[in-house]
Amino acid sequence: MPKYRKKIRSGDVYEVEEFYSPRTIGKKYERGRSENLTSEEQARRNLQIARKKITRSINANFNGDDYFVLLTYAAEVTMEQAKKEFSNFRDRLNRYRNKNGFSKLKYIAVVETQGKKKSCASSCCDEWI
């Protein structure tokens, strides 16, 4: 099995992922038999891939001078309410920045549930130029 290296640069971070593949470069192989993962394994793998992607996106677009904001709720709110309130917060912030001569807000936002109560929280990385 040949060993491959995947090199990824995102911002100041340089990652090297090493993996093995049963396929050799230049040779044609038939597609393997479908080996379905269980839904739990697939959900765990999807979460891991999503975390890698958001981490790389944050590393590529933000640095240590930027702000990280975590907005939580004291009472339980639904996901739709949390998204709507974050949207309103973002719009008000952009209006304030526009009114005071700043550029538009650059951000990455994640709205997620927390704990057993399923209350929502919004995380946001902001660049204040």
Side-chain angles (χ1 to χ4, degrees):
M1 274 196 276
K3 185 177 183 180
Y4 294 101
R5 286 189 179 154
K6 184 177 182 182
K7 299 171 187 170
I8 302 162
R9 178 171 300 280
S10 54
D12 295 336
V13 179
Y14 185 72
E15 295 178 59
V16 178
E17 290 183 358
E18 293 184 345
F19 59 94
Y20 293 97
S21 176
R23 298 178 180 211
T24 306
I25 295 175
K27 289 192 175 183
K28 302 234 176 196
Y29 288 91
E30 299 240 351
R31 185 174 177 166
R33 211 167 164 216
S34 178
E35 297 176 13
N36 295 332
L37 299 173
T38 65
S39 59
E40 290 175 3
E41 290 173 333
Q42 190 63 51
R44 192 168 13 108
R45 183 172 288 173
N46 290 343
L47 183 61
Q48 191 176 29
I49 291 169
R51 284 180 177 160
K52 274 186 186 180
K53 284 183 178 181
I54 193 113
T55 300
R56 289 175 183 155
S57 182
I58 289 170
N59 287 338
N61 294 296
F62 300 97
N63 59 33
D65 297 334
D66 299 325
Y67 292 97
F68 175 79
V69 178
L70 178 64
L71 307 168
T72 57
Y73 298 92
E76 287 188 39
V77 294
T78 64
M79 187 66 78
E80 291 79 26
Q81 286 174 317
K83 287 180 181 179
K84 183 179 179 191
E85 288 185 17
F86 179 77
S87 178
N88 290 341
F89 170 74
R90 182 195 63 224
D91 292 343
R92 286 192 313 260
L93 201 53
N94 272 327
R95 278 195 303 269
Y96 172 81
R97 290 173 60 84
N98 189 25
K99 182 176 157 184
N100 292 310
F102 294 107
S103 63
K104 225 174 177 185
L105 185 67
K106 180 174 150 184
Y107 69 95
I108 294 176
V110 176
V111 179
E112 58 189 351
T113 58
Q114 291 182 324
K116 293 180 183 177
K117 291 182 180 179
K118 300 289 183 196
S119 60
C120 294
S122 301
S123 304
C124 177
C125 293
D126 301 326
E127 182 178 59
W128 296 83
I129 299 176

